[in-house]
Amino acid sequence: MDESPILVQQQSGYRVITLNRPQRLNAFTEAMHETLRTALAEAEADTNCRALLLTGAGRGFCAGQDLNDRLSQAGETPVLGGALEAYYNPLVRKLRALPLPVVAAVNGVAAGAGCNIALACDIVIAGRSASFIQSFAKIGLVPDSGGTWTLPRLVGPARARALALLAEPLPATTAEAWGLIWRAYEDAALMEEAHKLCARFALAPTAGLALIKRALDQSWDNSLDAQLDLERDFQREASLNPDYAEGVRAFMEKRAPRFAGRS
Ligand code: T3D
């Protein structure tokens, strides 16, 4: 039997999800999408899971759609859109909406939808040898999986346009300098740093972090006025969670807090 296209590893308080088609730089097939969807649903349903680490097997993170499944015969006119509706868009929406932080550890090239799926995660770190490529223009496509939304917000319109129109690889260190990602690490240190982040999130006030994710995402559509109202409402909600009282008590007692997280 073929190895699963997605590997899931349980850690204390978090899960590691590995895209696992290394011979194709972890390019997406339908089977891989289905397996990833199940893995994300299971992680969400497990209240002991307080963070996710998403990475790739082998030398790449993800090369986007597997183009073997898109080869058309001469005379055929392929029509795309269906896979975005069925798989890529729900995946990006799920990553943004998960009530726990998602860390992408970009271990190698992240191209096409693979790049934009990484950028949809909450914290993106990368090995220094990794690169980010909006490959779409090279094959006559448009950046998808949120790329046209995410890129200008992260790096500004001029850089977003050049990245999308030129489809050139952006080295991880430049991606860090431009604010596309959080940090670039030596390749050998990447996974240790990713695990450190997730272990830290596994002890964090997870419900509060989930509200932070939502507040930041909603800010793009809001006026300052509307966002101030949202912050008032979210703060009220955060304060109702026992983790807030515990955080204040721990501070006053000069000890580490014991947050309940999602339970
Ligand atoms: O429904 C829809 O289709 C819409 C959704 C679209 C989403 C998308 O993601 S569209 C964009 C698809 N992705 C690409 O266009 C990227 C294609 N890949 C590349 O440009 C290069 O592979 C990379 C720049 C990512 C890496 O280059 P390099 O030189 O490091 O590696 P390589 O030799 O090109 O790739 C290694 C192997 O992986 C190779 O196979 P081989 O020759 O050893 O048997 C290569 O064919 C395979 N591979 C890489 N990317 C893909 C792929 N096979 C299928 N699909 C891929 N996307």
Side-chain angles (χ1 to χ4, degrees):
M1 208 171 100
D2 284 351
E3 204 177 354
S4 173
I6 296 292
L7 303 178
V8 180
Q9 202 191 1
Q10 303 254 14
Q11 299 284 341
S12 177
Y14 64 97
R15 291 181 185 205
V16 182
I17 296 183
T18 304
L19 309 175
N20 187 39
R21 299 186 70 236
Q23 70 288 0
R24 295 265 176 265
L25 298 179
N26 306 315
F28 270 96
T29 58
E30 283 191 15
M32 186 162 151
H33 272 295
E34 300 279 5
T35 318
L36 179 57
R37 181 179 293 184
T38 303
L40 292 176
E42 286 173 357
E44 186 174 12
D46 174 9
T47 52
N48 291 318
C49 181
R50 292 164 70 174
L52 279 182
L53 197 174
L54 181 66
T55 192
R59 72 174 177 90
F61 176 76
C62 176
Q65 170 62 41
D66 190 320
L67 296 176
N68 290 296
D69 297 346
R70 293 292 182 270
L71 199 57
S72 47
Q73 302 302 315
E76 259 181 18
T77 307
V79 183
L80 296 183
L84 297 185
E85 184 67 19
Y87 296 116
Y88 289 99
N89 291 355
L91 170 57
V92 169
R93 290 188 176 112
K94 176 56 73 185
L95 290 170
R96 302 302 291 192
L98 276 172
L100 59 156
V102 184
V103 174
V106 180
N107 52 301
V109 65
C115 181
N116 294 331
I117 287 163
L119 299 179
C121 295
D122 296 302
I123 296 197
V124 188
I125 60 175
R128 280 174 171 271
S129 70
S131 57
F132 296 81
I133 316 177
Q134 296 293 320
S135 316
F136 308 89
K138 284 199 171 161
I139 54 170
L141 290 184
V142 178
D144 61 25
S145 303
T148 57
W149 190 90
T150 309
L151 285 174
R153 286 170 166 81
L154 290 177
V155 298
R159 285 169 170 166
R161 269 179 199 252
L163 287 173
L165 294 173
L166 298 174
E168 285 179 3
L170 188 73
T173 46
T174 313
E176 180 191 19
W178 286 9
L180 187 74
I181 65 170
W182 172 233
R183 270 184 196 156
Y185 292 102
E186 294 302 331
D187 289 349
L190 175 69
M191 290 314 290
E192 189 187 335
E193 295 295 337
H195 280 281
K196 270 199 244 167
L197 278 175
C198 289
R200 177 171 157 184
F201 283 137
L203 300 175
T206 317
L209 301 191
L211 287 171
I212 293 173
K213 283 182 64 158
R214 280 173 53 200
L216 289 172
D217 274 352
Q218 290 184 32
S219 73
W220 296 114
D221 300 324
N222 279 344
S223 62
L224 173 60
D225 236 21
Q227 193 67 10
L228 288 171
D229 287 347
L230 176 147
E231 288 176 0
R232 175 203 58 213
D233 294 344
F234 280 23
Q235 206 68 298
R236 189 176 290 148
E237 192 177 334
S239 68
L240 293 173
N241 189 294
D243 277 349
Y244 166 61
E246 165 60 8
V248 175
R249 266 196 311 272
F251 175 78
M252 299 309 290
E253 293 166 13
K254 299 189 188 306
R255 62 171 172 80
R258 290 180 290 270
F259 293 122
R262 299 180 62 205
S263 54

